[in-house]
Amino acid sequence: MLWFFLWVLWFVMLFRIFGDIFRDDSMGGWGKAGWTVFVCVLPFLGVFVYLIARGRGMGERDVRQMRRQEEEFRSYVQEAAAETPSTGPTHADELTKLAGLHDHGDITDAEYERAKAKVLAG
């Protein structure tokens, strides 16, 4: 069972390294080809050398990619929310406005209760 787990772990690491090689925009085509051949021809040595030489960069590239995905998601949500047509103020908006008027003393308790009942009924 331990050997099977280590074997699966090895392949996961190998795929992560291949993903990192091809995701890195700063590396040229020949560099990517060289690392790919090195990792394929001498897999154990190639993976260990890659992790030693470019391991820190792997983490930084992962963080950059996650931040970029988070920014894209946020901008998508903001665009989708902006495209949603507004149907006017909601009951919660009206109640908040009434509570603000009541707290500032602009309307009496009776007026507040009547307006609140009207908002909740409609």
Side-chain angles (χ1 to χ4, degrees):
M1 188 68 160
L2 175 67
W3 289 110
F4 178 74
F5 175 73
L6 291 174
W7 183 71
V8 170
L9 182 67
W10 177 255
F11 277 106
V12 169
M13 190 180 335
L14 197 61
F15 285 118
R16 287 232 8 181
I17 288 174
F18 277 125
D20 187 64
I21 288 171
F22 291 105
R23 182 180 52 216
D24 187 8
D25 293 333
S26 65
M27 190 183 327
W30 288 105
K32 290 179 183 185
W35 276 111
T36 302
V37 168
F38 186 45
V39 169
C40 287
V41 172
L42 299 169
F44 291 106
L45 182 64
V47 166
F48 292 132
V49 170
Y50 187 85
L51 289 175
I52 291 169
R54 300 181 49 88
R56 177 175 292 176
M58 283 178 70
E60 292 169 357
R61 283 184 289 279
D62 282 341
V63 169
R64 270 188 303 218
Q65 180 184 10
M66 288 191 189
R67 284 184 181 153
R68 186 173 58 241
Q69 286 176 341
E70 179 70 23
E71 289 171 6
E72 290 172 359
F73 175 74
R74 287 182 187 271
S75 67
Y76 171 76
V77 168
Q78 289 173 351
E79 289 172 10
E83 293 174 3
T84 304
S86 177
T87 59
T90 63
H91 292 306
D93 295 336
E94 292 180 22
L95 289 173
T96 303
K97 186 177 176 182
L98 284 173
L101 291 172
H102 182 257
D103 290 342
H104 290 298
D106 295 334
I107 58 175
T108 63
D109 291 337
E111 292 172 330
Y112 172 72
E113 291 300 325
R114 274 189 305 235
K116 185 170 102 174
K118 184 177 178 182
V119 168
L120 292 175

